[in-house]
């Protein structure tokens, strides 16, 4: 009996020595992924990128953060860079270029290390007015109450740019920097004469508005569209087809802008490469999020991106033959 207890004790000691104890759990790298506020296509598609990334990549985790607008996203990205932290943001390519060059509202604080990751979606811009409005063109906005989109957003900046192209300066009308929800409410209570809504087709906020109110989209003249898109690669011309929405009875030419994912030069090539590769490897998952996600295709991977590509994204695109080596 004593011998049996002795042998059992020895075996227990050996087990204690040879059976490994679990080490500390592998920690995930938490990376901010910043989008515009809820209500637009970039918020939805950005959330989709976060979902697909976190589903398949186990060594990092994207954390979705909603900002108040593009300027807020750029500010947060620059702050993360100064802290030597990884970060991604999604917004219009026009503002990426302006931030990179230090133009307009970014004057004096250029974001020279911003890098392009991947084209995300085309963002159509609608200048919406009541169906019986005297506003027939952008030039007619003078003296009117117009919702411009969120403060510092690509929507607001592009809306101002388009109005200026038609001779309407900021001092010539009353701009309101509203969310899409506030814009819809402004139409319903009569406190607005017009407003800008943007997103990938179909734009949910416009669908909601058109289902309850008689509204229409102000067209942009072909000559103006050709001028703008020739001078600026991040803009594009498109047409909202008749019948696309309730009450839309004729084709309406409009302007849109490329929306893309951005990061900064300090983020490792490996991190960017893995995120982009995973997104394309599992793009069928991503395409389930919203119809606008299908804008992201191999042939559009760098559409509208006029700042330098991040080397991690560039490496993947070249491996796939989507960029010349």
């Amino acid at each position: 009996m004593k011998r049996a207890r002795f042998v059992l004790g020895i075996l227990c000691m050996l087990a204690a020595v040879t059976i490994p104890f679990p080490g500390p759990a592998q920690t995930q790298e938490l990376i901010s992924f910043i989008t515009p506020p809820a209500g637009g296509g970039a918020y939805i598609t950005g959330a989709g990128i976060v979902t697909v990334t976190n589903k398949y990549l186990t060594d990092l985790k994207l954390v979705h953060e909603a900002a108040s607008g593009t300027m807020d996203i750029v500010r947060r990205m620059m702050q993360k860079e100064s802290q030597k932290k990884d970060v991604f943001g999604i917004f219009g390519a026009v503002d990426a270029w302006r931030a990179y060059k230090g133009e307009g509202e970014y004057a004096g604080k250029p974001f020279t290390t911003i890098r392009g990751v991947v084209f995300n979606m085309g963002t159509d811009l609608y200048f919406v007015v009541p169906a019986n409005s005297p506003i027939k063109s952008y030039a007619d906005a003078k003296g009117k109450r117009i919702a411009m989109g969120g403060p510092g957003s690509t929507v607001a900046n592009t809306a101002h740019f388009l109005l200026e192209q038609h001779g309407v300066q900021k001092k010539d009308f009353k701009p309101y920097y509203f969310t899409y929800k506030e814009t819809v409410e402004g139409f319903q209570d009569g406190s607005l004469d017009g407003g800008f809504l943007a997103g990938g087709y179909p734009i949910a906020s416009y669908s909601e508005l058109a289902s309850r109110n008689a509204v229409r989209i102000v067209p942009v003249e072909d000559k103006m569209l050709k001028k703008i898109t020739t001078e600026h690669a991040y803009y594009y011309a498109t047409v909202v087809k008749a019948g696309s929405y309730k009450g839309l009875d004729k084709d309406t030419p409009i302007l849109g802008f490329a929306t893309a994912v951005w990061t900064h030069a300090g983020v490792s090539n490996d991190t960017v490469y893995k995120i982009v590769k995973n997104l394309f490897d599992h793009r069928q998952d991503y395409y389930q999020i919203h119809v606008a996600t299908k804008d992201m295709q191999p042939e559009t991977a760098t559409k509208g991106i006029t700042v330098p590509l991040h080397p991690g994204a560039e490496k993947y695109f070249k491996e796939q033959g989507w960029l010349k080596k």
Side-chain angles (χ1 to χ4, degrees):
M1 190 71 179
K2 289 182 179 180
R3 178 179 173 82
R5 285 199 296 266
F6 175 76
V7 171
L8 181 61
I10 293 296
L11 290 174
C12 289
M13 289 175 62
L14 288 173
V17 172
T18 58
I19 295 175
F21 287 94
Q26 183 180 6
T27 57
Q28 288 181 314
E29 181 185 2
L30 302 180
I31 302 174
S32 295
F33 191 99
I34 311 172
T35 73
Y43 176 90
I44 297 170
T45 56
I49 293 173
V50 171
T51 298
V52 173
T53 301
N54 292 344
K55 180 178 180 180
Y56 294 102
L57 296 182
T58 58
D59 57 340
L60 59 83
K61 182 178 181 180
L62 297 183
V63 180
H64 185 188
E65 300 178 11
S68 62
T70 305
M71 285 187 68
D72 186 27
I73 299 175
V74 171
R75 179 188 60 80
R76 293 194 197 186
M77 290 180 68
M78 293 177 74
Q79 184 179 51
K80 292 286 186 182
E81 182 189 35
S82 70
Q83 297 168 347
K84 300 188 183 303
K85 293 182 179 180
D86 292 354
V87 65
F88 292 85
I90 182 170
F91 54 89
V94 51
D95 275 283
W97 174 253
R98 287 160 67 89
Y100 176 69
K101 299 295 289 185
E103 295 179 353
E105 58 272 29
Y106 303 100
K109 294 183 179 179
F111 191 5
T112 58
T113 53
I114 189 172
R115 295 293 180 263
V117 176
V118 63
F119 168 79
N120 172 247
M121 62 179 283
T123 302
D124 297 344
L125 185 69
Y126 297 175
F127 181 22
V128 186
V129 297
N132 60 357
S133 170
I135 300 175
K136 305 297 182 183
S137 72
Y138 279 68
D140 297 331
K142 289 184 178 181
K144 300 298 191 293
R145 303 164 298 175
I146 308 296
M148 305 298 289
S153 66
T154 308
V155 174
N157 293 339
T158 301
H160 274 300
F161 170 76
L162 254 180
L163 288 168
E164 288 166 2
Q165 294 295 301
H166 288 82
V168 183
Q169 306 299 320
K170 289 183 180 180
K171 61 181 177 60
D172 297 328
F173 70 104
K174 297 178 180 178
Y176 295 89
Y177 299 98
F178 285 171
T179 63
Y180 295 145
K181 182 176 183 292
E182 291 171 328
T183 298
V184 170
E185 291 171 351
F187 274 94
Q188 293 173 341
D189 64 20
S191 62
L192 290 174
D193 299 308
F196 287 89
L197 299 173
Y201 174 82
I203 299 176
S205 52
Y206 184 76
S207 295
E208 176 189 351
L209 180 60
S211 69
R212 301 179 182 179
N213 301 79
V215 291
R216 57 183 168 81
I217 302 169
V218 178
V220 183
E221 295 180 0
D222 290 340
K223 184 178 179 180
M224 181 64 73
L225 287 171
K226 185 176 181 180
K227 175 181 180 294
I228 292 172
T229 55
T230 299
E231 294 174 353
H232 306 284
Y234 35 72
Y235 289 131
Y236 62 83
T238 190
V239 173
V240 187
K241 295 292 186 180
S244 298
Y245 298 97
K246 181 181 178 181
L248 189 66
D249 56 5
K250 61 181 178 181
D251 289 356
T252 306
I254 60 165
L255 185 75
F257 55 85
T259 295
V261 178
W262 316 93
T263 190
H264 62 74
V267 178
S268 76
N269 293 355
D270 183 59
T271 295
V272 176
Y273 180 93
K274 285 192 298 188
I275 289 175
V276 174
K277 182 179 186 301
N278 178 74
L279 185 59
F280 277 98
D281 283 349
H282 301 286
R283 61 182 179 271
Q284 294 307 321
D285 286 26
Y286 177 57
Y287 290 164
Q288 301 306 310
I289 304 296
H290 187 274
V291 65
T293 57
K294 294 183 180 179
D295 287 356
M296 189 200 76
Q297 299 285 343
E299 59 270 22
T300 64
T302 62
K303 179 180 177 180
I305 297 177
T306 54
V307 305
L309 272 177
H310 191 283
E314 185 175 19
K315 177 185 176 183
Y316 177 74
F317 297 151
K318 285 183 176 179
E319 286 179 356
Q320 300 303 308
W322 305 341
L323 277 180
K324 292 181 180 180
K325 294 185 179 181

